[in-house]
Amino acid sequence: MINDMQGLSKIQKAVSRSISAENFTGAPGAGGQAISGTGESCARDLGKGWKVSPSIIVEPGKVFELANIEGPGEIRHIWVTCSGPNRSLILRIYWEDSEVPSVETPLGDFFASADEQQYGAISSLAVCVNPLRGLNCYWNMPFYKKCRMTLENITSERITVYYQIDYVLRELEPGLGYFHAQYRRSNPLPYKTDHVILDGVKGHGQYVGTYLFWGVNNNNWWGEGEIKFFMDGDKDYPTICGTGTEDYFCGAYDFEVNHAYQTFTTPYSGLSKVMDTDGLYRCQQRFNMYRWHIADPIYFNQDLRVTIQALGWRSGGRYLPLQDDISSVAYWYQDTPAPSGSVLGSADDLEII
């Protein structure tokens, strides 16, 4: 496990590589050699080797290939920040010879940060968000033959992107799973329906994380809904059923302390942001939540589907099915590269208004 500090002392037969705008291929000895780039003017008195190419420009409607790596190896860390909104770019990751991505999400959502308008730190094992917009991912991503990673600019503006992809090349033991991520949004969620977090997964693997960005369209508490994991042939009812939204994210009693929402960020779970904090239980507030199943993966052998209810309160102590704006990213590993299954839509479908 890469987060096991005891393993750091073991000498490895591996080589470290890093891809960035200063070394597009990750080749040994190839960093810092640019003679043109986004820092060219700033380095005009210093020349080659002095931060000539610290970033890239992704033109409107274009796809930029961040990485094209021959394996075997594994991605260990991804850092990125950009000049546009966090949903202005689509991140895609392809494993082996697949022509369809196994990861396909808006850039910010992948890093558990759909909306950058208000800074919220995340200090977790899998994802860290640092001042001001430093997005970091530490999910372990092994591949046997090839990894390809791209960014698509879906806006009409040029976007500046700074990035670094740290990886190792080494022989891999057989049986490692491929990393996947699926994005979905319900805006608004149809009445008396569940938001689908993950669907269409066939195979053998383990579910390792959930990110939710939740915008409420009613006053009062909104998180009575239960998360459900339908696995290995489950139909009408799930094998794993939660007890409430804040419970699943390892909180309790509405995340409320002293009549206010209390944000928190821990290695495995967090409520990292509450946007529009003018009062408790107010309509139009937005919530940023993550839950990493690092210590408690959910294993499946045939198939997996994940949903969550949206429930508030109405008169008479009754539940109220909500029609909120819910975005999610599901993270999992499985035995073969498979399509992400994301439902993205247009730039307008992704926009946070």
Side-chain angles (χ1 to χ4, degrees):
M1 187 174 181
I2 63 171
N3 295 308
D4 181 5
M5 292 188 67
Q6 290 182 343
L8 290 175
S9 61
K10 183 178 180 181
I11 303 301
Q12 304 284 334
K13 290 184 177 180
V15 294
S16 293
R17 296 288 184 260
S18 186
I19 289 174
S20 71
E22 286 284 14
N23 186 347
F24 289 113
T25 66
Q33 295 189 29
I35 58 174
S36 63
T38 57
E40 181 178 349
S41 176
C42 300
R44 61 187 180 275
D45 296 331
L46 300 174
K48 188 176 180 179
W50 290 92
K51 200 172 180 178
V52 175
S53 180
S55 60
I56 60 171
I57 303 294
V58 186
E59 299 292 341
K62 299 298 183 181
V63 176
F64 184 88
E65 186 174 79
L66 294 174
N68 196 327
I69 307 169
E70 296 293 330
E74 54 191 344
I75 306 297
R76 291 288 183 86
H77 170 239
I78 302 170
W79 166 82
V80 65
T81 190
C82 68
S83 62
N86 281 358
R87 284 186 169 173
S88 60
L89 297 163
I90 303 300
L91 173 68
R92 295 182 177 92
I93 304 177
Y94 304 76
W95 302 122
E96 315 302 22
D97 297 319
S98 178
E99 295 183 356
V100 294
S102 294
V103 171
E104 184 178 36
T105 80
L107 181 69
D109 294 74
F110 181 78
F111 293 90
S113 300
D115 190 352
E116 75 292 333
Q117 297 177 41
Q118 175 180 320
Y119 171 70
I122 295 179
S123 300
S124 78
L125 288 176
V127 171
C128 291
V129 178
N130 302 322
L132 176 60
R133 293 173 63 183
L135 306 177
N136 296 269
C137 162
Y138 295 93
W139 290 112
N140 192 33
M141 305 182 193
F143 55 96
Y144 291 93
K145 292 191 295 184
K146 187 176 181 181
C147 166
R148 193 165 74 90
M149 195 177 304
T150 67
L151 277 181
E152 180 185 6
N153 180 357
I154 62 172
T155 75
S156 58
E157 306 292 332
R158 305 173 82 220
I159 298 176
T160 302
V161 179
Y162 298 81
Y163 69 99
Q164 189 140 357
I165 302 165
D166 300 315
Y167 62 101
V168 297
L169 299 176
R170 69 177 184 90
E171 292 299 319
L172 300 176
E173 58 273 27
L176 297 178
Y178 295 93
F179 186 78
H180 292 69
Q182 182 179 116
Y183 167 88
R184 287 175 177 258
R185 186 182 193 182
S186 301
N187 183 30
L189 180 68
Y191 186 62
K192 284 189 176 180
T193 64
D194 294 349
H195 171 73
V196 176
I197 295 174
L198 178 65
D199 201 7
V201 174
K202 305 292 183 184
H204 180 203
Q206 51 259 22
Y207 187 90
V208 295
T210 307
Y211 166 63
L212 283 186
F213 182 68
W214 194 303
V216 295
N217 293 326
N218 290 76
N219 287 329
N220 303 315
W221 172 239
W222 47 272
E224 291 298 328
E226 298 176 338
I227 194 166
K228 298 179 179 180
F229 292 84
F230 300 81
M231 60 182 67
D232 300 336
D234 289 343
K235 300 299 182 185
D236 296 332
Y237 298 99
T239 295
I240 297 176
C241 185
T243 59
T245 303
E246 84 275 42
D247 308 343
Y248 171 68
F249 289 96
C250 303
Y253 292 104
D254 307 0
F255 299 126
E256 181 186 345
V257 177
N258 297 326
H259 308 291
Y261 290 114
Q262 177 63 60
T263 59
F264 67 99
T265 175
T266 74
Y268 302 117
S269 65
L271 173 71
S272 57
K273 282 195 290 186
V274 180
M275 284 135 280
D276 182 16
T277 56
D278 183 18
L280 186 69
Y281 307 145
R282 292 175 62 87
C283 182
Q284 301 304 306
Q285 290 180 318
R286 293 189 176 101
F287 303 86
N288 208 69
M289 298 168 283
Y290 65 90
R291 167 73 156 92
W292 310 139
H293 293 271
I294 295 173
D296 57 343
I298 296 174
Y299 299 97
F300 58 94
N301 293 288
Q302 301 173 26
D303 54 74
L304 181 66
R305 185 172 188 264
V306 184
T307 67
I308 192 166
Q309 299 166 330
L311 286 177
W313 291 102
R314 70 189 319 159
S315 61
R318 295 173 295 159
Y319 294 135
L320 172 66
L322 300 174
Q323 296 180 270
D324 288 342
D325 177 5
I326 306 172
S327 299
S328 61
V329 177
Y331 308 80
W332 78 100
Y333 291 92
Q334 69 178 80
D335 51 354
T336 58
S340 168
S342 293
V343 180
L344 293 174
S346 67
D348 287 346
D349 294 322
L350 297 178
E351 186 178 6
I352 298 170
I353 302 174

